[in-house]
Each structure stands twice: as C-alpha cells, then as structure tokens.
Amino acid sequence: MRRIALPLALCLAAAALPAQNLTEVTRAGTEEWQDDLPAIAASPDGSLWMAFLTFSGTRDDVAIRQYQDGTWGNMLVVPNSSGDSWLPQIGVDKGGAPWVVWSQGQDENWDLYARRYDPKRQGWDKLMRLTDHPLPDVNPRLTSDETGRMALVWQGWRGPDSNIFLRMFENGEWAPPVQVSTQPANEWEPAVALDSAGTAWIAYDSYANGNYDVYLAGVKGGQLITPAMAIADTPLFEVKPTVAVDGQDRVWVAYEEGRANWGKDTGYTIRKTEPGAVIGSDREVQLRVYANDRVQAPAQPLQTAFANVGKPGWTYQPHLFLDGEGSLWAVAKLRLNVQGNGRGYWEYYLTRYDGSAWTPAVALPNSWGRSSTRLNAALLGDDLVFAWPTDNRTAAYAHRPHKGDVYVGRLAAATSAKPTLGEPPMRKIQVKPGGHANEGADLDAMRGYRTTVHGRPVQIVRGDFHRHTELSWDGGGGNDGSLQDFYRYMIDAAAMDFGARPTTRAALGSIGGGTQTR
C-alpha cells in the first residue's frame, strides 16, 4: 500500500460567497500530480471520505483521503487501480468503512472494480470485480445513506447498444445486477439517489426516440417497481440528468437542454439556415420533480438563477444537493469569456431554491476548467461539503489548462422553505426539417455497399477526422462540445464508424486523468 504524506497547511483564505457562506476552501489533492473527478461521502462517525483520480504523467491512480476532526488525513492510493482508470466513486458502509468503485480498462475491455478500506486495521480488503462482461462497463455513479446502504449505477454494453444497470449493497453484500433500461438504443450517464424506504431512483438519458430524452426509474428489492417514465421527451437535446431525494421522498431531476436536431445538418456553409444544432451549442438547465405520481416543476425555472451570468444560454452540468435542513442547492457549469481577449473557460456557479425562487448564482472559488467535469457533495452535520475539480487556468490564458487540482469547501445549511410546485410549462417547440427523409435506410445502403478494387473487396466507412473538443485550445468545448459529447455525436447522432480529435501536447499533459486524453 502506497501512502503519501501531504502538507495540511493548504487551507486558503476563506472564500465567503455573498449570502451563501461557502468557507474552509481547501486544496485537497496532490501538489505535483494532476487531480480530477472527485467524489465524497459521509461516514456514520461524522467524518468524510473523498476519492479522486490522480494522474502521474504515465498512469491513472485512484486515491482517497479522510476528513476527521477538522483535518484532512494522508492520501492513500487504492491498490490495483493503476493504469487506465475512470470516474472513481465512494460510499460508506454501516461500519464506517469506505468502498471505492471505479471503471478500469484492462485486456482491451472496461469493467467496474471495487475495494473496501478498513480504517480500524488501516488495510484494504481484496479487490472485487463487479462486472465481467466482454463489452465495456463505464460511467459509474455510487451513493450511500446513513444506514450503510449503497446503490451503484453504470452504463454497460451488452450488445450493439448500451443500457443502464444497478447493483445494491445491503447487509454487507452486493446484490446481483438489475437491468434498469430496456430500450433498443443507447442509454447514457446515469445518476442515482436513495429514498427513505431504500428505493433507488435512477435517472439517465436515452436515444430511443432519435434524440436524447431523460427518464427516471425506481428499483427496490431487485425489482423495477417504477418502470422508466419520461421526465423530458421533447424533440430537444435533453441529457445528463442528476437526481436528489428530499425529506418527503420527492425525486428532483435536473438536466441539460439544448436545441433540436442536435449534431444533425450543421456546417459553416449553411450556418445561417442550418436546421440542426452544433455539438457544443447553447444549452439551459431544467428541473423536474416526481411527486404524488406525477411530474411537476418548481415555480421558477432553474435557468433563471444563471440568466445574468456568463455567455447567454451556455449553462451545462446541473447538479442537485440537499443540506441537513432540507434546502435544495443546485450547481451548474457556465461558459464565460475573459473580457478583452475572447478566450473562453467554464466555471461552477451555485444557487439555492428558497421555496418560490432561486437565489442569484455565485461562483465557486477556484473552479475554472473544462465543460465536462463533475462535482459532488456530502453532509457534515447539517452543512454540505462540496468537492470539485479545477485546472487552474489564468485570465491571461483562460483557454489553457495548467494543473488539475481538487478543492473542497463547506456550505452552511440554510433554513428550508416549502417548495412551490406546479405543472411543467407548456412550450411550442419548432423543429426545422432536415435533409434526410430516411436516414436509417441511407446508412444501411451505404454500409451494405460492396465493390471490388484491383481484385480486392472494399466497402465504405464513414468518419470525422477533425473535431475540437474541450481539450483543444482553439475550441475549448464551444462548437464541438466535450469529449463525452464527441462520443455521443459519433455513435448516435452521426452514426460514424470512426472519429478523430486533434489536440496539443500541452493539453494532453494538463488534464487530470489519462483516460480523458485519448
């Protein structure tokens, strides 16, 4: 076991946010390595455990730290996590022991692995392999509650399409996996929360309708007790949900919403008349509530909290959290430009729902970075402790990542007000017709075509050689979106056979995780 001592005098000047009181902002990662993708969980003994990905320049490692009695302890590297690892998650069992789950690429496949750390004997239990299918299992999300119950969801391929799966941890054991989604299409990036009865509420998005829609399902006792219901199923681009359950077991689901015809029929030569939306494009954040067997919405739309910040209509990655007083907090990532040079970057902003309206959003300190990062929070008493990543960009070079770091900060609980809920707004959505009357048949005809060249059989393959994702200095996640958006576009919207993304050597060396640079 590798143990790395870190200086504990990393606490910065407390960054008090107007009316939101985020304090104790601390860098909680390493000094030399690239750190990214933090997750955090509360323990029954009042401590916190954080997991994150750290990249040494040649490999990923999953690391953990404990916060106890006002101090962050030494960093521990999870054994057998070195190599190509992705999106570490952490939960705490009834005995106060943290479980770390991550996706790792080995032997030309990606599977989920787990390892439990025993704080009493300061040692690791044996490595567990949670999936063993020959197709990839990625994008895990893990949550735990005060009883030590845990719910793990992920995106896994079991054929040509990916589906969403769940494994519960109860009474000291991992239950068999449950397939949550069954649509004949790709489902993506799930999130999960537990209610007071132990039901796992899973939100995800699906391409089943030829565009992305958000769904919610409930699983208890290994059974799908609430089959997938549509939370958002318009022709718009509805993706990347997060979920939270309040004290009355109402299920809150936030998601990104972009324009219709995402990734379809776009280009510089038709920019003024194009019927589709570019991969990055403008987006808003939306919020729905499943309560009393119906889908409702807050009195004021979530996007209003961010309306006067950043580049209009560029709000991504909504996250939801409830403090110990029952107040609902939302964090989203906004696209901003440095005044005078037009260079873009992304920054986290925080708001609270006071029952009828959202407080004006304020920035999380030290949170400049790329568009696809994720943050997490856990309860410390009634307060929330957030963990978020940054790549330490500067105003002079806001398009250039510098060093990946992980920060934490404490948010004082706020008095909760009874939320005002109503029917989701009725909107008339206009969709411009595209140029493909039967795209599926066109693809089948192209892929089925065969001919002979110099006596050898050949066929047509389709691809895209040049996309500027969030890792590119000249794009920064603008028109071409994030790396995850690139995969979605290539697999679903464009149905390509191969793709390429140019980048720079400096960008490759400045992202906290080898998996994201390939």
Side-chain angles (χ1 to χ4, degrees):
M1 178 178 67
R2 186 148 44 105
R3 183 189 298 266
I4 300 175
L6 297 175
L8 297 178
L10 294 176
C11 189
L12 308 178
L17 299 180
Q20 314 269 39
N21 196 29
L22 184 72
T23 60
E24 301 178 34
V25 178
T26 306
R27 192 180 77 193
T30 66
E31 288 187 281
E32 300 298 330
W33 295 349
Q34 307 281 345
D35 303 324
D36 202 351
L37 302 173
I40 193 168
S43 175
D45 65 5
S47 67
L48 299 173
W49 288 92
M50 182 178 69
F52 58 97
L53 198 65
T54 186
F55 181 60
S56 65
T58 59
R59 67 179 186 277
D60 299 317
D61 284 290
V62 177
I64 66 171
R65 293 185 75 181
Q66 184 183 25
Y67 180 81
Q68 191 171 39
D69 300 325
T71 301
W72 284 97
N74 288 342
M75 186 182 89
L76 305 174
V77 174
V78 181
N80 301 111
S81 68
S82 295
D84 251 352
S85 297
W86 171 246
L87 205 60
Q89 300 289 291
I90 195 163
V92 182
D93 64 23
K94 187 176 181 180
W99 283 80
V100 188
V101 178
W102 69 97
S103 181
Q104 188 165 344
Q106 295 191 76
D107 301 324
E108 299 184 354
N109 189 29
W110 287 81
D111 278 304
L112 301 187
Y113 296 85
R115 200 141 197 176
R116 177 182 180 271
Y117 179 73
D118 188 339
K120 295 179 181 177
R121 64 180 177 86
Q122 298 186 14
W124 294 91
D125 291 351
K126 66 181 294 186
L127 179 72
M128 292 186 63
R129 185 173 179 177
L130 297 180
T131 63
D132 59 5
H133 196 275
L135 294 177
D137 292 285
V138 295
N139 291 331
R141 288 285 172 179
L142 178 68
T143 189
S144 57
D145 63 17
E146 64 276 3
T147 70
R149 180 187 293 116
M150 288 186 279
L152 170 68
V153 292
W154 72 93
Q155 177 183 350
W157 274 261
R158 298 295 181 266
D161 304 316
S162 63
N163 290 109
I164 305 304
F165 296 87
L166 165 77
R167 287 193 75 167
M168 294 294 298
F169 179 87
E170 296 180 281
N171 302 317
E173 295 184 349
W174 288 98
V178 175
Q179 183 171 331
V180 177
S181 66
T182 58
Q183 295 99 320
N186 285 311
E187 273 83 49
W188 294 83
E189 298 189 64
V192 63
L194 291 164
D195 70 13
S196 62
T199 301
W201 291 98
I202 303 103
Y204 60 93
D205 63 75
S206 172
Y207 206 72
N209 296 322
N211 64 83
Y212 290 111
D213 298 309
V214 172
Y215 291 87
L216 178 71
V219 177
K220 184 178 181 182
Q223 301 296 319
L224 194 65
I225 62 171
T226 304
M229 71 187 85
I231 295 297
D233 60 350
T234 75
L236 298 175
F237 176 74
E238 294 148 336
V239 296
K240 303 172 187 175
T242 59
V243 61
V245 178
D246 66 19
Q248 298 181 46
D249 283 341
R250 292 172 297 203
V251 185
W252 299 73
V253 181
Y255 57 93
E256 288 181 19
E257 179 187 87
R259 287 182 279 143
N261 287 331
W262 178 83
K264 304 284 190 180
D265 297 329
T266 67
Y268 286 104
T269 59
I270 59 170
R271 188 55 45 92
K272 292 183 179 180
T273 59
E274 61 185 0
V278 296
I279 302 174
S281 65
D282 51 310
R283 299 176 196 171
E284 295 186 348
V285 290
Q286 299 288 351
L287 180 60
R288 297 292 182 263
V289 187
Y290 178 64
N292 301 318
D293 296 323
R294 60 193 178 103
V295 177
Q296 303 176 69
Q300 187 182 56
L302 174 56
Q303 183 64 31
T304 58
F306 310 101
N308 297 319
V309 183
K311 190 175 181 180
W314 288 70
T315 315
Y316 285 35
Q317 297 282 9
H319 294 72
L320 298 175
F321 305 99
L322 289 142
D323 65 27
E325 294 288 337
S327 284
L328 180 72
W329 299 83
V331 182
K333 197 129 205 197
L334 276 63
R335 170 86 172 183
L336 299 101
N337 288 332
V338 174
Q339 189 172 5
N341 67 17
R343 295 293 191 180
Y345 63 95
W346 300 80
E347 186 173 27
Y348 282 117
Y349 273 73
L350 170 72
T351 182
R352 180 176 64 86
Y353 192 51
D354 68 6
S356 60
W358 295 93
T359 59
V362 291
L364 287 185
N366 306 102
S367 66
W368 287 22
R370 66 189 192 279
S371 64
S372 69
T373 59
R374 293 284 192 169
L375 85 167
N376 202 230
L379 286 174
L380 185 63
D382 285 338
D383 297 347
L384 283 168
V385 174
F386 284 92
W388 68 91
T390 180
D391 54 28
N392 286 292
R393 303 173 187 218
T394 65
Y397 299 99
H399 58 300
R400 298 184 184 179
H402 178 58
K403 179 194 178 298
D405 276 323
V406 170
Y407 278 83
V408 293
R410 184 168 182 165
L411 178 70
T415 302
S416 175
K418 184 178 180 180
T420 303
L421 301 177
E423 297 300 315
M426 297 295 293
R427 295 178 297 168
K428 185 177 181 180
I429 300 171
Q430 293 184 334
V431 181
K432 293 181 181 180
H436 308 281
N438 194 335
E439 186 176 7
D442 293 343
L443 288 169
D444 289 342
M446 188 180 302
R447 286 178 172 150
Y449 178 77
R450 298 292 187 274
T451 189
T452 301
V453 176
H454 299 302
R456 301 181 64 181
V458 295
Q459 67 185 84
I460 298 172
V461 293
R462 301 166 63 248
D464 193 329
F465 283 102
H466 198 112
R467 284 291 170 180
H468 290 275
T469 70
E470 60 190 336
L471 304 186
S472 300
W473 287 3
D474 55 351
N479 284 342
D480 279 354
S482 68
L483 198 58
Q484 289 90 326
D485 287 344
F486 172 76
Y487 288 130
R488 288 172 175 263
Y489 162 75
M490 297 298 294
I491 294 171
D492 287 332
M496 296 291 188
D497 299 306
F498 65 92
R501 176 191 51 78
T503 188
T504 65
R505 183 178 298 276
L508 290 176
S510 301
I511 301 298
T515 303
Q516 290 200 276
T517 64
R518 298 190 171 91

